[in-house]
Amino acid sequence: QGLKPLVPTESSGPDLIFGTSKHAPGLPTTDTYLSTNKVPDLQKVFQRSDGLPVHLKRGYPDRMLYRTTMALTIGGTFYCLVALYIASQPKNQ
């Protein structure tokens, strides 16, 4: 008695492949995400000792994202302070 499995325990299809560098059966070999490992290249970029913080290592796009984030943060802080100031003023009736 007890619990019965909802899915049969015997697999009827091909075996799943985990963590191998072989191409999966049935997929074209032109898929670059199966064969190209970009981790070593990115490790070289991020571990380079050039004095830059890690969030600015990849150049112009990182600088633009950082500056946009800082502008939104400062603008949001200013907006909140102004809104608090306006809300704290007594209302004239």
Side-chain angles (χ1 to χ4, degrees):
Q1 299 184 10
L3 298 175
K4 296 179 183 176
L6 297 175
V7 180
T9 56
E10 299 293 326
S11 64
S12 59
D15 293 331
L16 297 176
I17 300 172
F18 294 103
T20 65
S21 60
K22 296 179 182 178
H23 291 290
L27 290 177
T29 57
T30 58
D31 291 338
T32 58
Y33 65 90
L34 292 175
S35 61
T36 304
N37 186 5
K38 296 180 183 178
V39 172
D41 297 330
L42 290 174
Q43 284 177 340
K44 289 177 187 174
V45 169
F46 288 116
Q47 291 176 354
R48 189 173 45 214
S49 61
D50 52 6
L52 288 175
V54 71
H55 60 274
L56 296 175
K57 288 268 187 182
R58 292 188 356 171
Y60 184 75
D62 285 346
R63 285 195 310 263
M64 289 308 298
L65 283 172
Y66 179 74
R67 290 176 183 169
T68 302
T69 302
M70 286 298 110
L72 289 172
T73 302
I74 292 168
T77 302
F78 182 73
Y79 176 78
C80 287
L81 291 174
V82 169
L84 284 173
Y85 176 76
I86 291 173
S88 67
Q89 298 301 312
K91 295 183 180 181
N92 294 332
Q93 293 182 359

